[in-house]
Amino acid sequence: MSVFFYGCITLDGYLADKNHGLNWLHETGSPEETDCDRFYSEMDVAIMGRRTFEEIARLENAASYYPTTENYVFTHADSLPQRGFTPVRGDVAEFVTGLGPDKNIWIIGGNTILAPLLERDMVDCLIVQVAPVLLGEGIPLFTQKEATRRFRLETVRQYGQFAELVYRK
């Protein structure tokens, strides 16, 4: 099993604005300018939180964005309004462990999903794209409560206005 975080943040470290919005990202560039399609083709499972799912669910035909992965949403809801997404609850680290050893797992979005995996040293790769935007406030990638973890810088790439940093354990 390999666990990946792949996502974009602002220069000041935010995943979303204070209202969980992503307009800053959509106004900066598009996924076509990145290596997202190649990355996605290597994933078996996508895991996200409710707020990330709500942003995705606003897109027309949201399931078409994740057609080949098993898609799980951590939520208290018993069902979701979009096909192709399965609601789950409980401890994200235990859930990930239960997925089995042969899966590539993409952690999408927020720190409430990422933090428990970092705490248990389960994240193998951080692929962080940085957009040239300062929000001043918002939803940070990290909770600021994580213990010290060391990663090794593997690659730096530029995609349009985005800088991509790839770190591995």
Side-chain angles (χ1 to χ4, degrees), residues 74 88-98 116-117 119-120 122:
F74 273 81
V88 293
R89 57 182 73 160
D91 182 276
V92 66
E94 290 177 15
F95 180 79
V96 166
T97 300
L117 298 170
E119 287 170 12
R120 295 193 187 159
M122 295 175 68

Side-chain angles (χ1 to χ4, degrees), residues 8 13 32 34 48 54 66 76-77 89 94 109 131 149 154:
C8 189
E32 291 78 26
T34 68
M48 65 194 76
E54 287 172 354
Y66 305 96
H76 295 292
R89 57 182 73 160
E94 290 177 15
R149 296 280 181 251
E154 184 173 276

Side-chain angles (χ1 to χ4, degrees), residues 23-34 131-132 159-162:
N23 285 344
W24 64 269
L25 176 59
H26 302 304
E27 293 166 358
T28 304
S30 67
E32 291 78 26
E33 295 178 39
T34 68
Y159 294 109
Q161 291 297 302
F162 300 99

Side-chain angles (χ1 to χ4, degrees), residues 97-164:
T97 300
L99 290 172
D102 298 329
K103 303 280 185 173
N104 282 334
I105 301 164
W106 178 16
I107 304 304
I108 304 172
N111 59 37
T112 57
I113 302 298
L114 184 59
L117 298 170
L118 285 169
E119 287 170 12
R120 295 193 187 159
D121 202 26
M122 295 175 68
V123 178
D124 300 294
C125 183
L126 295 165
I127 303 170
V128 180
Q129 293 171 348
V130 182
V133 176
L134 294 170
L135 289 179
E137 61 183 338
I139 310 305
L141 173 57
F142 301 108
T143 64
Q144 308 304 314
K145 298 175 185 171
E146 291 86 5
T148 301
R149 296 280 181 251
R150 300 278 180 199
F151 289 86
R152 175 181 40 80
L153 179 62
E154 184 173 276
T155 310
V156 177
R157 294 184 185 101
Q158 180 178 350
Y159 294 109
Q161 291 297 302
F162 300 99
E164 181 179 88

Side-chain angles (χ1 to χ4, degrees), residues 30-50:
S30 67
E32 291 78 26
E33 295 178 39
T34 68
D35 203 15
C36 187
D37 289 340
R38 183 210 51 80
F39 170 81
Y40 179 74
S41 72
E42 297 175 2
M43 295 299 108
D44 302 301
V45 176
I47 298 175
M48 65 194 76
R50 178 187 53 84

